[in-house]
């Protein structure tokens, strides 16, 4: 499970786990753990911001999931990653996945193409499990958002397009558009 759904600075300031608009990244793994009692949850996320305190994304995730009743022995936390490439490489080093194991990659749907490409390049055999969709099939979904929300979506989409191109140019993905 990739970081990016927590606000570590707000968590540190207020003392309770703070989530952002990608909260499904944090809730879907709990549902998956309940459906699969044999599964473990690997979370990867350190400090991604330039100005930050001492709380990592993994610290916030651990506190949230503890409060939601997830047993500590079902969690593996990677606390150093600052970007998607480091998420993949450092988590792979931590877990050392074996051939034939099933690994779900949980992240926002809009981030999934880049994340899947990066994790595969780092040696993971993953199954994408997208959450946090920002699009739908009805006019209501397309028309219901405010103008500022649409500007944020445009910024996020631009960041992902730049990420796809730059990660490919850096050799962190095998293709600009990785397959499913």
């Amino acid at each position: 499970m990739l970081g990016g759904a927590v606000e570590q600075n707000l968590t540190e300031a207020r003392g309770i786990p703070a989530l952002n608009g990608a909260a499904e990244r944090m809730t879907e793994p709990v549902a998956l753990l309940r459906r699969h009692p044999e599964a473990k949850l690997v979370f990867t996320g350190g400090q991604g911001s330039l100005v930050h305190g001492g709380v990592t994304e993994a610290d916030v995730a651990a506190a949230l999931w503890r409060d939601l009743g997830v047993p500590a022995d079902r969690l593996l936390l990677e606390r150093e990653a600052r970007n998607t490439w480091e998420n993949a490489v450092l988590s792979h080093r931590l877990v050392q996945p074996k051939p034939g194991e099933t690994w779900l990659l949980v992240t926002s749907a809009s981030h999934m193409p880049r994340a899947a490409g990066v994790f595969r390049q780092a040696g993971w055999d993953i199954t994408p499990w997208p959450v946090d969709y920002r699009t739908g099939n009805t006019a209501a979904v397309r028309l219901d958002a405010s103008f500022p929300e649409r500007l944020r979506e445009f910024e996020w989409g631009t960041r992902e397009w730049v990420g796809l191109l730059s990660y490919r140019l850096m050799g962190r993905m095998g293709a600009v558009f990785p397959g499913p």
Side-chain angles (χ1 to χ4, degrees):
M1 198 249 122
L2 294 185
V6 303
E7 300 291 342
Q8 62 261 37
N9 293 336
L10 286 175
T11 299
E12 190 169 21
R14 298 298 180 183
I16 61 171
L19 303 179
N20 61 31
E24 291 93 336
R25 289 188 189 191
M26 304 303 289
T27 57
E28 182 66 9
V30 176
L32 287 167
L33 284 176
R34 289 186 176 148
R35 287 194 299 263
H36 300 279
E38 74 288 358
K40 290 201 180 257
L41 172 55
V42 179
F43 180 89
T44 174
Q47 285 284 356
S49 63
L50 296 174
V51 179
H52 54 74
V55 175
T56 67
E57 287 188 281
D59 295 331
V60 179
L64 174 68
W65 289 327
R66 180 191 62 238
D67 291 348
L68 292 175
V70 175
D73 65 343
R74 295 189 68 192
L75 296 177
L76 290 170
L77 303 170
E78 184 288 305
R79 291 182 158 91
E80 302 299 319
R82 298 166 297 169
N83 57 51
T84 307
W85 175 250
E86 290 181 3
N87 290 138
V89 171
L90 297 174
S91 294
H92 191 278
R93 189 177 305 148
L94 173 69
V95 174
Q96 300 177 1
K98 311 287 183 284
E101 291 180 336
T102 300
W103 290 97
L104 302 180
L105 178 60
V106 178
T107 193
S108 299
S110 59
H111 183 54
M112 187 58 76
R114 182 161 52 113
V118 167
F119 269 69
R120 288 177 180 140
Q121 188 75 14
W124 286 88
D125 181 16
I126 56 97
T127 299
W129 196 271
V131 296
D132 182 32
Y133 287 91
R134 296 291 183 220
T135 60
N137 298 328
T138 67
V141 172
R142 290 190 293 275
L143 300 173
D144 203 25
S146 66
F147 184 68
E149 287 176 85
R150 290 296 173 216
L151 286 176
R152 278 191 296 277
E153 297 304 323
F154 179 77
E155 183 273 333
W156 181 262
T158 301
R159 186 172 94 174
E160 285 304 317
W161 279 98
V162 169
L164 284 166
L165 291 171
S166 62
Y167 269 46
R168 175 62 184 120
L169 291 172
M170 290 187 289
R172 293 180 175 180
M173 295 187 336
V176 174
F177 301 110

